[in-house]
Amino acid sequence: MKPTNTKDPEYYHKVVDCQYACPAHTPVPEYIRLIAAERFTEAYMVNWESNVFPGVLGRTCDRPCEPACRRVRVEEEPVAICRLKRVAADNKGDVKQHMPQGPFPSNGKRIALIGGGPASLTVARDLAPLGYEIHLFDEQIAGGGMMRSQIPSFRLPEEVLNEEVNFILDLGIHTQFMTYVKSLKEVLEGGYDAVFVGTGAPKGRDLPKLPGRKEGDKNIHIGIEWLAGVAFEHTKSIAQKVIVLGGGNTAMDCCRTSRRLGGKEVKVVVRSPFDEMKASPWEKEDALHEDINIIDNHVPLSFEVKDGKLIGMKFQKVKPVYDENGKRQLLPTEEDDVFIEADEVLIAIGQENSFPWIERNIGLEFDQWGMPVVDEVTFQSTNAKVFFGGDAAFGPKNVITAVAQGHQAAVSIHLFCEGLNVYERPSPYTNLISQKMGIHEWSYDSSVAIDQRYIVPQAKKSQTLKDRKKEVELGFDIATAYKETQRCLNCDVQTVFTEDRCIECDACMDVCPTSCITFTVNAEESELRQNLLVPAENLTQDLLVSKELKTGRVMVKDEDVCLHCGLCAERCPTSAWDMQKFLYSTTKANQMITPLPLIQK
Amino acid sequence: MSYLKPLFRHPKLPKNKLGYTQKEYEGSLSTLCAGCGHDSISAAIVQACFEMSVEPHKVAKISGIGCSSKTPTYFLGNSHGFNSVHGRMPSVATGASMANKDMVYFGVSGDGDSASIGMGQFVHVIRRNLNMVYIVMNNGCYGLTKGQDSATADQGSRSKAGSVNPFQAIDLASLAIELGATFVAQSFSGDKQQLVPLIKAAMHHKGFAFLNVISPCVTFNNNPGSTKSYDYVREHIEATSTLDFVPEMPEIKTNYEKGKSTRVAMHDGTLIQLNKLATDWNPEDRVSVANALQHARTKNEILTGLLYVNTEWKDLHGTLSTCSTPLNKLKETDLCPGTEVLKEINAGYR
Ligand SMILES: Cc1cc2nc3c(=O)[nH]c(=O)nc-3n(C[C@H](O)[C@H](O)[C@H](O)COP(=O)(O)OP(=O)(O)OC[C@H]3O[C@@H](n4cnc5c(N)ncnc54)[C@H](O)[C@@H]3O)c2cc1C
Ligand SMILES: Cc1ncc(C[n+]2csc(CCOP(=O)(O)OP(=O)(O)O)c2C)c(N)n1
Ligand code: SF4
Ligand code: SF4
Ligand code: SF4
Ligand SMILES: [Mg+2]
């Protein structure tokens, strides 16, 4: 293999598993260390800089970082990354003083943002400090998009959302709430330099063809519409017997909200087997904890209506059958159909995009599925002035993806408005600094805790079911949070190898607890992977390969299960290994240099 | 500075016949200087014992004083150990072996511990052919007391402070051969490929197995002008052979050129196959080995590999015709023959 090019910012970036997996590439270990040091304000700002909604995400994020966490490769459970983020948000001091301070000198450009969800708000945050005049339109009464209309208050208190939405609106954004945009053409004629569409995927799927759908309509609701109704207090109660159709997170929010609005016997009925439901495991757990019955392998057949009133639903029982490629089919079990009683049904089987308000003759192409044609890197549509992001761009995902796409769209909009090529994107901001403090001392806590994941306490069910606004999770207290932070392996503190210094004493190879380092003759990657002390079979993890050493061998380090314990660097007599902290901040329109050195404790 | 090694290990760490991973053969985190050759030798011992599926409780590590003699703390943490007095490891090992012949004995010593203060013990343990592995971690200096020249420092070798050693070096391997050691090998801490099979072979040898391992002291004797530095040793090393250790009866895969390979059958039926690199040298002929060592010395070469092996001589227990049960397992009933037998014996003296 060729020597690894560690100058490529993506090499070390990939080693920081959680950060790499985070769509917005939040520097996770950096803020975890700050939490450990009780520097919550800075921890918050590290988050805010990259994911814009730390308080919201610390409660609701889909947490793609956690399954990626290195810890799951050496033990069972990842670091509770998401819930540590919440600790930063809950305990922060005055963060506003560290945010860009307006009014910003105008650059003479005007931007329209359609929709006020996380995607649009991110664009607003990134562009406002650069002097853009930003106009945000949303049909709801306040900003936040689905974070406000869909995510229930028992998971995300309104004050938390308001605070973080306002941090952005206070940058001088011109908002027009309760304004449904009926025509993109009109907006374009308004003389904006660019338009960002962040209207989400606002249409809930229905089961229009299922027998009884029309007759029972009064007691059948589309899940996301119903949740919005609850959030905006149009809907205040539900009947005692409720069926929720669907197995995703919307279904979980519907059933748990039902329990709070009067539902006594709430059943989630889902086609797929329990283990394959789309809902996150923790959402299912919480639902079960609230006495919700989840009935899997049941396909809806009909709404049953008697005397003009919905009395329940009929289902066919199925079982999953897998072909040799692991593809699943649901086949009837031949058992009798099942009738389940219900007074009300919530349909939570997915969402769709819908763009009735975008004209098809304004140079903005749509594909065969009715989705706009959007570039995956620049988020530009075929109308050069119009950019998309969030659920509106590629279908429903989650908040953190909307934020990540918002950042990228903002970069494009800025380049576009400056008359530059939107494909020539600035590099990410990176920094690599030695953590050496003394001969064998590091500025990070290099010891590796074996503690198992700590559990976040919850409020009593008797309280939370009574009040739909009462937050269920209580968050870690500071002492437990500290213990949880110590589980982090500091994957951003990189093992940096300088071959000229190595005297090939083998000390690093001998000491490495997880057998990551091997000195061997060079070979092609597939062969080299097999020749290591322990074969490197996780192909998603890179090998760090040195230049040829004096004895003709190379040093090969398998990044897979490195604990970042620094022992290699401690045992190296010549400092050929050093532990260096790698900071990576994704390219943003308004690149805030890491706030850290600027903030005094 | 870390005093504890993280407890996590590679989840795919191989297991040996006993179901143990290498972790079960490790010791505490070393406190020797970073980069010390001794740590590599410890790692080689760990690897050899793991690969041979040795039961850790059947091993005793015995050492004297010195950095080298500290290493038993850093390997085989689940085995027995005795850190004895400077230069007195052989007598403790002899006593232990006399009491319990069923253990594997690792004697760990340094060049100071063996070639200076312990020289008297060293020569006698060879003479007795005690069944043990005797490793000298040879760095040409007294590491623990801050790097004074030892008796194995080569004449003309320059110390870190710049002084040149005026005395002749004691060549421990030659000495061992002269004294009739039955297994003599030489190696380098930086060459585990050679060292690990040598340690395995030494453990299988019934009798005194001597390993003189050059092991650079990074702190006090790794300077230019030293003949025990990583660079010097790498430049002057001459392997006599490569060695395959065949633990169970073989199907030897590689074909070696005829006449270039020698097989030695060990007492327990295992085999060592030596694939010779050096000519004019026969590992089973003491005179040729002594010559080869002398020649190498005149050329400033360090001969490595299994230099000499003799499986015919009896070990100490054989010479003393001790009983097959280890002495510490004999009960009163075994030791006390009873009045009848005693009468007969007494009658024999009348
Ligand atoms: C029930 C439910 C629970 C969820 N829970 C989570 C969770 O826990 N964690 C998570 O990460 N994600 C969750 N999501 C997904 C997440 O809410 C969305 O992916 C995210 O909000 C998308 O952000 P966005 O900016 O693209 O658009 P949205 O948040 O959808 O915002 C779009 C906004 O545009 C407005 N709008 C649309 N069309 C127009 C128009 N023509 N004119 C004016 N305004 C318009 C809408 O009213 C809305 O306010 C959940 C979704 C649902 C349905
Ligand atoms: C009886 C006695 N005399 C002297 C000493 C001082 N002393 C401690 S270690 C040592 C030399 C050790 O040298 P070596 O065996 O080569 O070990 P190294 O540290 O080089 O590995 C000496 C002289 C001692 N501990 N005990
Ligand atoms: S151990 Fe820490 S830095 Fe590493 S992946 Fe997990 S959370 Fe991220
Ligand atoms: S930091 Fe060094 S010693 Fe520790 S696990 Fe990683 S490679 Fe091994
Ligand atoms: S410890 Fe340092 S000098 Fe020794 S082999 Fe490793 S990198 Fe090279
Ligand atoms: Mg010494």
Side-chain angles (χ1 to χ4, degrees), chain A residues 73-138:
Chain A
R73 303 203 291 270
V74 288
E75 63 134 323
E76 315 258 298
E77 292 280 355
V79 174
I81 301 172
C82 181
R83 292 330 189 231
L84 284 173
K85 190 193 310 294
R86 170 174 171 176
V87 174
D90 285 357
N91 296 286
K92 65 184 185 298
D94 176 9
V95 289
K96 211 166 172 184
Q97 56 172 326
H98 303 299
M99 295 176 178
Q101 306 291 322
F104 307 103
S106 165
N107 70 355
K109 304 255 161 66
R110 290 167 72 239
I111 312 284
L113 310 178
I114 306 177
S120 288
L121 289 170
T122 301
V123 176
R125 191 205 73 173
D126 287 359
L127 293 183
L130 298 173
Y132 289 92
E133 182 182 312
I134 295 174
H135 295 265
L136 180 146
F137 304 88
D138 194 295

Side-chain angles (χ1 to χ4, degrees), chain B residues 50-232:
Chain B
F50 160 74
E51 286 175 5
M52 280 178 46
S53 297
V54 177
E55 292 178 272
H57 69 281
K58 295 220 170 124
V59 179
K61 313 161 288 182
I62 299 167
S63 63
I65 297 291
C67 300
S68 36
S69 293
K70 281 174 71 178
T71 60
T73 311
Y74 316 133
F75 61 83
L76 300 179
N78 292 309
S79 300
H80 306 275
F82 194 124
N83 195 203
S84 77
V85 190
H86 205 13
R88 270 58 182 166
M89 173 271 278
S91 47
V92 177
T94 308
S97 168
M98 282 290 90
N100 186 355
K101 66 202 272 184
D102 276 359
M103 306 267 287
V104 174
Y105 291 99
F106 268 105
V108 179
S109 180
D111 43 326
D113 196 62
S114 284
S116 294
I117 193 167
M119 185 56 109
Q121 300 230 336
F122 178 65
V123 299
H124 286 282
V125 76
I126 295 177
R127 189 175 146 261
R128 289 171 173 164
N129 200 22
L130 185 70
N131 184 17
M132 73 181 297
V133 180
Y134 191 118
I135 297 184
V136 170
M137 301 183 174
N138 189 345
N139 54 15
C141 70
Y142 298 168
L144 192 69
T145 53
K146 301 226 177 317
Q148 301 82 351
D149 288 338
S150 78
T152 65
D154 290 306
Q155 193 173 30
S157 180
R158 192 178 289 273
S159 77
K160 191 177 176 182
S163 62
V164 173
N165 175 32
F167 301 111
Q168 294 257 355
I170 292 177
D171 176 355
L172 287 171
S174 293
L175 182 64
I177 284 170
E178 167 59 28
L179 291 166
T182 50
F183 180 113
V184 178
Q186 208 151 236
S187 190
F188 169 46
S189 63
D191 185 0
K192 282 206 195 64
Q193 265 191 336
Q194 184 191 55
L195 185 53
V196 172
L198 281 178
I199 294 171
K200 291 183 188 172
M203 286 166 74
H204 275 275
H205 176 71
K206 192 163 188 219
F208 187 78
F210 178 60
L211 285 163
N212 181 37
V213 187
I214 314 290
S215 173
C217 170
V218 269
T219 307
F220 298 113
N221 203 8
N222 193 36
N223 48 287
S226 156
T227 60
K228 296 276 192 292
S229 67
Y230 279 103
D231 285 347
Y232 183 92

Side-chain angles (χ1 to χ4, degrees), chain A residues 495 508 511-517 557 561-569 579:
Chain A
T495 54
C508 52
V511 82
C512 176
T514 41
S515 316
C516 303
I517 302 171
K557 182 198 164 205
V561 291
C562 170
L563 303 171
H564 297 258
C565 66
L567 279 178
C568 48
M579 303 308 289

Side-chain angles (χ1 to χ4, degrees), chain A residues 15-19 28-29 32 65-66 68-71 78-79 81 487-492 564:
Chain A
V15 174
V16 196
D17 297 282
C18 47
Q19 183 179 14
V28 174
I32 291 184
C65 52
E66 292 194 14
C69 173
R70 179 173 296 268
R71 212 136 168 132
V79 174
I81 301 172
R487 297 181 68 239
C488 173
L489 296 170
N490 302 290
C491 301
D492 61 339
H564 297 258

